Amino acid sequence: MKSADLPLIDIVQINENIGHPHSFSNDLVIESLQTKFKAADNCEEYLAEDAPMSVRINGLCLILLTKGEITINVDYLKFPLQANTLFFILPDHILEVQCRPEDLEGKIMVISKDMLSNMPKKNEDGDNSLQYMFLRKNPSVELTDEEVSVLDTLFTLIRKRAEAKEHLFHKEAIQSLLFHLFFELKNIIFKKNDIVPFELSRKEELFQQFLKLMFKHSREEHSVSFYAGKMCITPQYLSAVLKELTGKTTNNWIDHSLILDAKILLKTPNMTVQQVSDMLNFSNQSTFGKFFKKHTGQSPAEFRKGKQ
């Protein structure tokens, strides 16, 4: 099965299968972990009675775990979580959940991509690309008791506001609380990782623009000229900017993104090497195999079997 063919679960389906009032339109759903997971023998069943082991959620998923243990696989990478942990699942990524339902406490929130795109922004681009890149590699955050208390309070406030259907400014009130939540999350993440907010230079803005394009197009477009053309600059200037800021050329960045996607796809059950090659837009399987071995030291088949 291709990763792109995995079910894309949206909030309507989640609402139908959970059956609770803690939601806003088709854009937001919040539920207690113990309520949701205790209703099923395994964690996947809350999505649908015959849900497959792997799904994708059409939105940002935040899991605040306050008690118990849970193992979450994102893009087939395993993340064992303990109490006092916040976990991010970015939109469209492949999700599997393993847990002991009776032991769980916490909250889960899913925010649609539409609501995220319509949220008020501090500026047009901000540091969203850098945050996406960081969270993609570091999706879990260990929390102090005080941080858990603050986030749990905000989750509860957002849930209560979602229930207040008669509120004259229902959507705006929810967005305001989400905006507050996101700044609390950024504060926690930035402090724990010594990230200092700053104004971007023109070259740093170009880097962010490139990252956005690469996240969107890297599977289909492998040439520097494509990205430079989209940014209305020369390939030489783009590579010079990236080399100066990151120490890596444009080709290095594109190759790294392709290898990351290749590893994810090769771990997808029932997907052949030929299908992975096709999804990543290589001319043939042999070219893909040589590219993968050059960058990893393994053939795609060796990587799939877990050989080192």
Side-chain angles (χ1 to χ4, degrees), residues 69-298:
E69 298 179 356
I70 184 171
T71 297
I72 296 179
N73 297 340
V74 178
D75 294 338
Y76 304 104
L77 297 176
K78 184 176 291 187
F79 297 92
L81 307 181
Q82 310 238 344
N84 283 19
T85 300
L86 180 70
F87 194 82
F88 298 83
I89 304 167
L90 299 169
D92 298 336
H93 286 255
I94 302 166
L95 167 66
E96 295 176 338
V97 180
Q98 305 166 13
C99 66
R100 290 179 290 183
E102 67 277 5
D103 295 334
L104 288 180
E105 288 186 13
K107 292 183 174 65
I108 182 169
M109 179 186 303
V110 182
I111 308 167
S112 74
K113 288 192 288 187
D114 285 344
M115 176 163 257
L116 289 172
S117 65
N118 290 322
M119 287 289 295
K121 295 179 176 62
K122 185 177 179 181
N123 53 51
E124 185 62 28
D125 291 318
D127 47 5
N128 291 334
S129 295
L130 295 177
Q131 289 175 55
Y132 179 93
M133 183 173 62
F134 178 83
L135 291 176
R136 191 180 184 192
K137 294 182 179 180
N138 307 275
S140 65
V141 181
E142 294 183 9
L143 304 170
T144 65
D145 289 340
E146 182 180 353
E147 289 165 344
V148 169
S149 177
V150 169
L151 295 180
D152 188 65
T153 299
L154 281 170
F155 272 58
T156 300
L157 285 172
I158 294 168
R159 184 171 69 179
K160 288 182 177 178
R161 185 53 60 222
E163 295 171 349
K165 311 294 185 183
E166 76 287 351
H167 196 292
L168 295 178
F169 304 96
H170 195 203
K171 180 177 181 179
E172 291 78 5
I174 292 172
Q175 286 181 325
S176 177
L177 287 170
L178 286 174
F179 203 48
H180 186 174
L181 173 65
F182 291 159
F183 274 111
E184 290 293 342
L185 295 176
K186 287 175 67 172
N187 177 61
I188 292 169
I189 293 168
F190 280 25
K191 282 186 175 180
K192 290 182 183 295
N193 295 278
D194 295 323
I195 302 173
V196 179
F198 55 87
E199 293 295 325
L200 299 181
S201 68
R202 173 56 181 159
K203 289 181 179 180
E204 289 164 339
E205 289 175 352
L206 287 174
F207 175 44
Q208 286 209 17
Q209 187 180 351
F210 166 73
L211 286 178
K212 287 185 177 181
L213 289 169
M214 186 183 68
F215 291 145
K216 184 176 181 180
H217 297 290
S218 62
R219 288 191 179 187
E220 300 82 27
E221 299 291 346
H222 306 170
S223 70
V224 178
S225 59
F226 169 82
Y227 297 98
K230 285 282 187 181
M231 297 168 67
C232 300
I233 58 177
T234 67
Q236 294 79 9
Y237 184 62
L238 175 58
S239 286
V241 167
L242 295 186
K243 184 73 173 177
E244 178 185 337
L245 292 179
T246 70
K248 297 195 294 184
T249 66
T250 314
N251 279 321
N252 293 152
W253 278 97
I254 296 169
D255 290 349
H256 177 77
S257 181
L258 281 169
I259 289 297
L260 181 61
D261 279 339
K263 288 180 176 180
I264 292 169
L265 293 172
L266 287 168
K267 292 296 185 180
T268 304
N270 304 321
M271 178 172 280
T272 67
V273 175
Q274 181 64 60
Q275 287 174 319
V276 174
S277 174
D278 292 342
M279 286 195 71
L280 296 180
N281 202 26
F282 282 86
S283 57
N284 53 61
Q285 183 176 330
S286 175
T287 301
F288 168 65
K290 291 176 181 177
F291 171 83
F292 190 85
K293 188 160 189 176
K294 174 184 175 182
H295 290 279
T296 67
Q298 302 172 285

